[in-house]
Amino acid sequence: MNLILLGAPGAGKGTQAEIISEKLGIPQISTGNILRAAVKAGTEMGLKAKSFMDAGGLVPDEVVIGILKDRIAEPDCAKGYILDGFPRTVPQAEALDAMGINIDKVVEIDVPDEVIKGRLGGRRVCEGCGASYHIEFNPPKTEGKCDKCGGNVVLRKDDAPETVAHRLEEYHAKTAPLADYYRGKGKLKTVAGQAEVAETSALVLEAINA
Ligand code: AMP
C-alpha cells in the first residue's frame, strides 16, 4: 500500500504517519526528516537545502525528487510506504506519476491556519530519529528525551512564528492544489485533524480502510 498524507505544516502528518507505519508495518518517508538529517550531517545536499528550510520556503523540486527516488528504492519500501511531506508541489506529484508509482490513497488532514499557528509553538521533534511530539498533546514520557531512541527532543528552528506564516503561505500557494490533483484521480479522502491524536488516527485508518 502506497499512501500519501497531505496537510499543512503541523496538521499532524508526521504523528499519523508514525502510527500507520507501526500498524501496517510499512515505513514512513518524511522528506523533511531526511533533509534535517542532511543539514545536521553537513552534506552537500544539506547545505543546499538549509537556507530554504530556515526561511520556511520549499527546497527545489529536483533536490527533493532525487531524495525521494533514492529512498523508495531501498528494500524496506518493497511492500509500500507512507509519504509524509512529499509531494508538496504539482511537479513533485507528476514526478511520482512519471516514475510509474501507483498511489493507493491520499489522505488530507485538514486543520485551520489559526489552529496550526497555535500548535507549532508546542511541537517538538527528536534530533535523532525525527519522531514528533507536542508538549501539551503528545509529550515524551521523559521531558526532552525521545521515547523511541532516547535522542534530544527539541524545538524546530522553522517552527518560530515568523517562519510559520511563510510556510503557511507556501502551503496554500503550492501544496494545497495537490488536493484537487488527487481528487481528480479519485484518490483523495479528507479528514478533520483538530481532534485528539487518537481520534484523528481513527479517521485516517478508516479513510485507508485499515
Ligand atoms: P517538514 O518536516 O515536512 O515540515 O519539512 C521541513 C522543511 O523541509 C520544509 O519547510 C521544506 O523547506 C523542506 N521540505 C520537506 N519536504 C519537502 C518537499 N517535498 N518539497 C520541498 N521542500 C520540502
Side-chain angles (χ1 to χ4, degrees):
M1 164 117 73
N2 296 334
L3 299 175
I4 291 174
L5 294 184
L6 284 182
K13 299 184 298 294
T15 303
Q16 296 304 330
E18 284 168 32
I19 293 168
I20 305 169
S21 166
E22 266 190 28
K23 187 166 162 76
L24 301 187
I26 54 176
Q28 164 195 13
I29 299 178
S30 157
T31 41
N33 284 352
I34 296 171
L35 287 164
R36 275 185 290 280
V39 169
K40 200 169 164 222
T43 66
E44 197 181 321
M45 184 239 289
L47 291 174
K48 239 196 247 177
K50 188 175 185 314
S51 56
F52 297 101
M53 295 171 76
D54 286 350
L58 294 183
V59 173
D61 285 338
E62 64 274 15
V63 176
V64 277
I65 290 168
I67 291 174
L68 199 273
K69 218 176 194 170
D70 289 349
R71 179 63 188 88
I72 59 177
E74 288 180 28
D76 64 329
C77 292
K79 289 202 193 114
Y81 40 78
I82 306 151
L83 300 184
D84 152 21
F86 187 102
R88 256 182 161 97
T89 63
V90 170
Q92 291 178 23
E94 288 169 348
L96 279 179
D97 292 343
M99 286 178 228
I101 288 163
N102 178 52
I103 298 297
D104 297 288
K105 293 263 164 62
V106 180
V107 182
E108 177 188 39
I109 306 177
D110 183 38
V111 178
D113 283 8
E114 288 317 307
V115 177
I116 296 281
K117 287 181 192 157
R119 251 187 211 185
L120 287 179
R123 171 155 82 175
R124 299 291 182 271
V125 293
C126 173
E127 279 185 321
C129 71
S132 326
Y133 297 93
H134 189 282
I135 49 174
E136 198 182 326
F137 309 121
N138 179 28
K141 291 191 183 91
T142 307
E143 199 184 322
K145 292 284 165 215
C146 180
D147 295 350
K148 295 186 179 140
C149 77
N152 287 329
V153 171
V154 299
L155 176 69
R156 270 170 55 171
K157 197 172 175 184
D158 61 347
D159 280 346
E162 58 281 11
T163 316
V164 167
H166 184 47
R167 286 165 68 204
L168 283 170
E169 276 169 25
E170 288 279 83
Y171 171 74
H172 288 294
K174 297 178 182 164
T175 308
L178 288 175
D180 280 339
Y181 184 89
Y182 287 113
R183 192 177 289 114
K185 293 177 183 284
K187 301 198 184 224
L188 186 82
K189 289 254 169 88
T190 301
V191 303
Q194 287 186 69
E196 306 254 319
V197 170
E199 287 176 58
T200 308
S201 299
L203 295 175
V204 172
L205 291 169
E206 189 186 312
I208 60 171
N209 308 318

